[in-house]
Amino acid sequence: MLNPADAALAAQLPQGVLRDAAPAYVEEPRGRIRGLAGLIAAPRDADECAAVIRACAAARVPVVPRGGGTGLVGGQLVADGPAPLVLSLERMTAIRDVWPEEGVLIAESGATLHEARQAAAAVGRQFPLSLASQGSAQIGGVLSTNAGGVNVLRYGNARALCLGVEAVLPNGEVMRDLKRLRKDNTGYDLRDLLIGAEGTLGIITAASLVLAPVPAETGVAMMVVDSPAAALSLLALAQARMAGGVTAFELISGQGLRFLDAAFPDMRQPFDSRPDWLVLIEVGLPAGLSADAALEGLFTAGAEAALVRDGVIAQSGQQAADLWALREHIPLANRHVGAIASHDISLPLSEVAHFVADAGEAIAARGDMRINCFGHLGDGNLHYNLFPAKGRRREEYDDIRRDLSHLIHEMVVARGGSFSAEHGVGRLKAADLARWGDPARLAAMRAIKGALDPLGIMNPGAVLV
Amino acid sequence: MLNPADAALAAQLPQGVLRDAAPAYVEEPRGRIRGLAGLIAAPRDADECAAVIRACAAARVPVVPRGGGTGLVGGQLVADGPAPLVLSLERMTAIRDVWPEEGVLIAESGATLHEARQAAAAVGRQFPLSLASQGSAQIGGVLSTNAGGVNVLRYGNARALCLGVEAVLPNGEVMRDLKRLRKDNTGYDLRDLLIGAEGTLGIITAASLVLAPVPAETGVAMMVVDSPAAALSLLALAQARMAGGVTAFELISGQGLRFLDAAFPDMRQPFDSRPDWLVLIEVGLPAGLSADAALEGLFTAGAEAALVRDGVIAQSGQQAADLWALREHIPLANRHVGAIASHDISLPLSEVAHFVADAGEAIAARGDMRINCFGHLGDGNLHYNLFPAKGRRREEYDDIRRDLSHLIHEMVVARGGSFSAEHGVGRLKAADLARWGDPARLAAMRAIKGALDPLGIMNPGAVLV
């Protein structure tokens, strides 16, 4: 039903919008899929973007929006079917305006997350969304995938940080809704519908984003706990004491620490032995309360409640950065080992400890493997990754890889969890959504897709199969 | 095209679902509109609710969902056309479950906001949404209208406090999506689409709600400022110092204080004279930092910056309650005077002061009136209400009332603001939405309405005209 992007379409596009083909337009970070691109277009503004979409609609050509290309579920490329027009936001990179006292900036979709964060910092504010890929991830992609990261616990995900969007809808109309309002109850929440729709309902071209005040006092600590259950009790204790001041609460496993030892032997770790479980805690507090004192108070209370065994509180910005570096190097250490399968899951907080115990047993029963379970514990979001036993190669697990992932996802869903906490559905998890999604919800999603994109040109094959 | 709810439909409904007619089903708080009700149905659960909706769909009978009936824009009743089936949530009032450590509870839609708050308090948590009408407003209505209130600045509106919903869609299917997850990126955000849709896309029957930790230290202060601009600078100062610890930041005008004097002469006010502008500030802070010290520090810093003239910090829970009582009695005092016109507007924060100045001039040019401008300044949300000059009656302004509202809304929209910040669109503001809404957004809203409710039975006439 759809046609490839070809010379006939090219002739219908606005002058100067086409780009030369390049590998960067059809790659994804893990190098597993290579995408197709019949044409590559990079509009300069929303109106030019709308003209491209109208031309694609008239020619029934699929459109694949392209941001930084850092997505992990294949939402940014299509590997089969008619070659699409790849719509790159690379020329829409402006930070259009910043209102420091208001705590708002308007960024175009091609600006990187790093650039948005820099623009906020330049006026003494912060854009609190923070991801490993922020140097290349773009605002449009960040919103389209409702990206998460390490500060969701306090500031919410991308959705929570967006007040308004400018977007090109599949019919080629521009929705101009770049409001800077904290409250606006005037009709359906199309902003949140476009956020997280992964480019299947339109293209976000600019957004008004929330800037948060920079806390007067910040501090970072690492604490040794016996179990994920103890970590969660420590989190509840921290939240009760800090009045919402816990900015990040990350779980690190002993397996992750040993992977770090192997991959980065020069990296200093704060504890001589490798404890089974650690948490990395960051707090941001009001003026008048030292973060050091608050973290010491938490440590003491945690120790009294038999939740914490050992701990270290960063005494400088450098030490804080060093503790964060450990957490941030875990995905690199994982890549060094080579995962059999990785999972971006979330669970209700009270199910996390049960899941970790049960899943550990279930995996052990399937074969000899190493598990590195780590991530954003404060959000119930774990990266639950499986690795070969020492001395074995990942290829030896090829025949059970799919079953392992299915097992993990089944266990997560059975406990009310999600098979995609922050990475989205893309194409790699579209079948999972079809399998585990609520039927009435899926039917409503399809009805909405059909209503807004009756030709099915917007990122076909992503999210809905 | 639609038919009235009649005996033939009644025969198709589940046994025992019908209720006797009563004024409470067809009234709204201001007593201006009286609704129609052909039948009144109160299902016991989502499945029974779905059976009612299917029967209505088969008979092409409009359905008007009914919560606490406290809405101010007529979304809860229909005054003309075929008499609808009024669907009351009064029998779905359970707090189904509470997870204190997780910070989640699941409430049915007929539970009042007060009951949800009580259930949270009973486990040492808080459900932070707080409204004047919380004793009768129900969770379903609170979500369907995306209600706001005094704590939005810190905790967000109803939308920000909902993790998942169970809902009956217009086709009579039940969407079961009562997740308790902080992160879940698996498809379109139907939850946020239903929230704020005012019952036009389905009926929320239960919701999982976020419970926040109760801050270790809380404090309340009232400070005298020269102008709304000074108030906003004080807010920025407070946020920079309190690291997100400002829970409420309410503006009160001298006119409001004089109305309080007239309506409640026994109420003690903290300042001997009646200053032109006051702010009521509530903070919630971590353990180890006294709220008194933090508010004193803010007062001193505010005075040094020439933002604050005078102030009082509550020295007890009773004093804090007394300060809040002043704010909460302003709407009652307004009613005592009798408004010519009232407006629930929001503005970008940096536009608030300009708007207040310009609107004051514009109103003065139209006639002799008193303005009581007050509300949730931290959210840019003002209740901008016009009253007769002293000694005159509101009826004398009947011929300019509409023009005045139009003028105010035009000025708000021109500054990027909203003509309905927290009350919603309902029926009273549906024409405003049609006038001022972005055309592409309105078209998309209509497409979604058509896709999910092709028969148009769900709360017809609300939101979209």
Side-chain angles (χ1 to χ4, degrees):
Chain A
M1 251 186 69
L2 293 174
N3 305 312
D6 59 12
L9 173 64
Q12 302 301 316
L13 297 177
Q15 278 244 315
V17 82
L18 287 175
R19 317 311 277 173
D20 291 336
Y25 293 114
V26 290
E27 289 175 344
E28 51 85 32
R30 288 172 177 160
R32 293 187 192 156
I33 319 167
R34 197 172 183 84
L36 302 170
L39 294 170
I40 296 145
R44 287 167 306 177
D45 56 30
D47 290 326
E48 201 168 80
C49 182
V52 172
I53 297 299
R54 285 194 299 271
C56 290
R60 305 284 196 274
V61 168
V63 178
V64 175
R66 182 89 192 178
T70 60
L72 295 172
V73 288
Q76 72 277 57
L77 34 71
V78 55
D80 43 37
L85 178 137
V86 170
L87 193 140
S88 167
L89 280 302
E90 68 195 71
R91 290 165 83 194
M92 295 187 65
T93 61
I95 304 293
R96 288 192 194 161
D97 221 332
V98 187
W99 294 265
E101 276 224 348
E102 203 174 301
V104 177
L105 72 72
I106 292 183
E108 291 185 346
S109 280
T112 65
L113 177 50
H114 177 72
E115 287 161 352
R117 288 171 56 88
Q118 291 292 105
V123 297
R125 290 268 183 161
Q126 60 168 330
F127 183 58
L129 199 79
S130 179
L131 309 172
S133 60
Q134 63 200 28
S136 37
Q138 295 174 4
I139 292 300
V142 159
L143 288 170
S144 293
T145 60
N146 187 29
V150 293
N151 296 335
V152 172
L153 177 61
R154 179 166 191 163
Y155 296 105
N157 47 22
R159 172 169 288 133
L161 296 168
C162 179
L163 298 176
V165 296
E166 172 193 271
V168 177
L169 301 181
N171 61 2
E173 288 185 22
V174 182
M175 179 173 105
R176 300 181 201 276
D177 204 33
L178 279 175
K179 290 202 176 133
R180 289 143 46 202
L181 304 173
R182 312 291 167 148
K183 280 182 175 169
D184 176 32
N185 279 345
T186 55
Y188 302 164
D189 187 3
L190 293 193
R191 178 186 73 231
D192 284 321
L193 189 64
L194 290 169
I195 294 173
E198 305 185 35
T200 64
L201 299 179
I203 296 176
I204 296 171
T205 51
S208 45
L209 303 173
V210 175
L211 308 184
V214 178
E217 301 280 336
T218 58
V220 175
M222 227 173 222
M223 297 190 194
V224 177
V225 294
D226 274 345
S227 62
L232 284 161
S233 296
L234 182 65
L235 171 63
L237 187 63
Q239 287 183 312
R241 296 176 65 89
M242 305 285 182
V246 184
T247 306
F249 197 91
E250 298 282 307
L251 183 71
I252 298 174
S253 74
Q255 189 60 262
L257 298 174
R258 290 188 290 276
F259 283 176
L260 284 175
D261 280 328
F264 305 101
D266 294 340
M267 251 184 143
R268 273 190 56 212
Q269 295 195 24
F271 306 104
D272 291 334
S273 66
R274 298 293 169 255
D276 285 345
W277 299 102
L278 280 180
V279 288
L280 175 69
I281 309 171
E282 181 167 315
V283 296
L285 300 170
L289 178 63
S290 107
D292 210 49
L295 287 166
E296 263 177 44
L298 174 64
F299 177 82
T300 306
E304 276 168 14
L307 298 172
V308 179
R309 283 178 172 272
D310 200 353
V312 55
I313 299 173
Q315 296 301 312
S316 67
Q318 185 57 51
Q319 282 186 19
D322 289 347
L323 293 181
W324 267 113
L326 289 171
R327 164 64 184 85
E328 284 160 358
H329 278 71
I330 289 175
L332 305 173
N334 286 345
R335 230 166 282 170
H336 186 83
V337 181
I340 299 166
S342 49
H343 310 93
D344 165 42
I345 59 173
S346 66
L347 290 146
L349 289 185
S350 53
E351 298 287 342
V352 167
H354 304 298
F355 167 80
V356 171
D358 289 0
E361 280 182 31
I363 294 298
R366 299 292 176 110
D368 195 9
M369 281 169 267
R370 289 176 292 178
I371 300 168
N372 188 9
C373 168
F374 67 102
H376 318 299
L377 185 64
D379 312 315
N381 176 196
L382 300 174
H383 299 302
Y384 193 90
N385 297 356
L386 307 178
F387 297 86
K390 218 162 183 171
R392 294 183 64 182
R393 290 172 309 116
R394 60 196 294 267
E395 291 72 21
E396 297 174 42
Y397 300 82
D398 275 352
D399 51 342
I400 59 168
R401 175 177 296 139
R402 268 170 173 275
D403 283 354
L404 292 171
S405 288
H406 190 81
L407 173 73
I408 296 296
H409 286 159
E410 283 277 13
M411 293 180 79
V412 166
V413 171
R415 290 187 178 279
S418 171
F419 60 86
S420 188
E422 56 177 11
H423 294 168
V425 175
R427 290 176 176 81
L428 298 183
K429 292 189 175 178
D432 294 326
L433 177 59
R435 177 185 185 90
W436 284 302
D438 174 74
R441 178 166 172 260
L442 286 172
M445 283 174 58
R446 287 196 193 95
I448 290 169
K449 171 74 172 172
L452 296 185
D453 182 18
L455 304 173
I457 60 169
M458 287 307 308
N459 213 5
V463 185
L464 289 168
V465 284
Chain B
M1 249 184 70
L2 295 174
N3 305 312
D6 59 10
L9 173 64
Q12 301 300 315
L13 298 177
Q15 278 246 313
V17 83
L18 286 175
R19 316 311 276 172
D20 291 336
Y25 292 114
V26 289
E27 291 175 342
E28 50 85 34
R30 289 173 176 162
R32 296 189 193 156
I33 319 168
R34 197 171 182 86
L36 301 170
L39 294 171
I40 295 145
R44 285 166 308 176
D45 56 31
D47 290 326
E48 202 167 79
C49 182
V52 172
I53 297 299
R54 286 194 300 272
C56 290
R60 306 283 196 275
V61 168
V63 178
V64 175
R66 182 90 193 178
T70 60
L72 295 173
V73 289
Q76 72 276 53
L77 35 74
V78 54
D80 43 39
L85 178 137
V86 171
L87 194 141
S88 166
L89 279 303
E90 68 194 72
R91 291 165 82 194
M92 296 188 63
T93 61
I95 304 294
R96 287 191 193 161
D97 220 332
V98 186
W99 295 266
E101 278 225 347
E102 207 174 297
V104 178
L105 71 72
I106 291 183
E108 292 185 345
S109 279
T112 64
L113 176 50
H114 178 73
E115 286 161 352
R117 288 171 57 88
Q118 290 292 103
V123 298
R125 289 266 183 164
Q126 61 167 330
F127 182 59
L129 198 78
S130 180
L131 308 173
S133 59
Q134 62 199 26
S136 38
Q138 295 175 5
I139 292 300
V142 159
L143 289 170
S144 293
T145 59
N146 187 32
V150 292
N151 296 335
V152 171
L153 177 62
R154 179 166 193 165
Y155 297 105
N157 48 20
R159 172 169 287 132
L161 295 168
C162 178
L163 297 176
V165 296
E166 172 192 273
V168 177
L169 300 181
N171 60 3
E173 287 184 23
V174 182
M175 179 172 107
R176 299 180 201 277
D177 205 33
L178 279 173
K179 288 198 177 136
R180 288 142 47 201
L181 303 173
R182 312 291 169 148
K183 280 183 176 170
D184 176 31
N185 278 345
T186 54
Y188 302 164
D189 187 3
L190 294 194
R191 178 186 71 232
D192 283 320
L193 189 63
L194 290 169
I195 293 173
E198 306 185 34
T200 63
L201 298 178
I203 296 176
I204 295 171
T205 51
S208 45
L209 303 174
V210 175
L211 308 184
V214 177
E217 301 281 336
T218 58
V220 174
M222 226 172 224
M223 298 190 193
V224 177
V225 293
D226 274 345
S227 63
L232 284 161
S233 296
L234 183 65
L235 171 63
L237 187 63
Q239 287 183 313
R241 297 176 64 89
M242 305 284 182
V246 184
T247 306
F249 197 89
E250 298 282 308
L251 183 71
I252 298 175
S253 74
Q255 189 60 263
L257 297 174
R258 289 187 291 276
F259 283 176
L260 283 174
D261 280 328
F264 304 101
D266 294 341
M267 256 185 138
R268 274 191 53 212
Q269 294 195 24
F271 306 105
D272 290 334
S273 66
R274 300 291 169 256
D276 283 346
W277 299 100
L278 279 183
V279 289
L280 174 70
I281 309 171
E282 181 167 314
V283 296
L285 300 169
L289 178 61
S290 106
D292 209 48
L295 287 167
E296 263 177 43
L298 175 63
F299 177 82
T300 305
E304 275 167 16
L307 299 171
V308 179
R309 282 180 173 272
D310 199 354
V312 54
I313 299 173
Q315 296 301 312
S316 67
Q318 184 57 50
Q319 281 185 18
D322 289 346
L323 293 181
W324 267 112
L326 289 171
R327 164 65 182 86
E328 285 158 0
H329 277 72
I330 289 175
L332 305 174
N334 286 345
R335 229 164 285 169
H336 186 83
V337 182
I340 300 168
S342 49
H343 311 93
D344 165 43
I345 59 174
S346 66
L347 290 147
L349 289 185
S350 53
E351 298 288 344
V352 167
H354 304 298
F355 166 79
V356 171
D358 290 359
E361 280 181 33
I363 293 298
R366 298 294 175 110
D368 193 10
M369 281 170 266
R370 288 175 292 178
I371 301 168
N372 188 8
C373 168
F374 68 102
H376 318 301
L377 185 65
D379 312 315
N381 176 193
L382 299 175
H383 298 303
Y384 194 89
N385 298 356
L386 307 178
F387 297 86
K390 220 164 181 170
R392 294 184 63 183
R393 289 172 309 115
R394 60 196 293 269
E395 291 72 21
E396 298 175 41
Y397 300 82
D398 275 352
D399 52 341
I400 59 168
R401 175 177 297 141
R402 267 170 174 275
D403 282 353
L404 291 170
S405 288
H406 190 82
L407 172 73
I408 296 296
H409 287 159
E410 283 278 12
M411 293 181 79
V412 166
V413 170
R415 291 188 178 278
S418 171
F419 61 85
S420 188
E422 57 177 10
H423 294 168
V425 176
R427 291 178 175 81
L428 298 184
K429 292 189 176 179
D432 294 324
L433 177 59
R435 177 184 185 91
W436 284 302
D438 174 75
R441 179 167 171 260
L442 286 172
M445 283 174 56
R446 288 197 191 96
I448 290 169
K449 171 72 174 176
L452 296 184
D453 182 18
L455 304 173
I457 59 169
M458 288 306 309
N459 213 5
V463 184
L464 290 169
V465 282

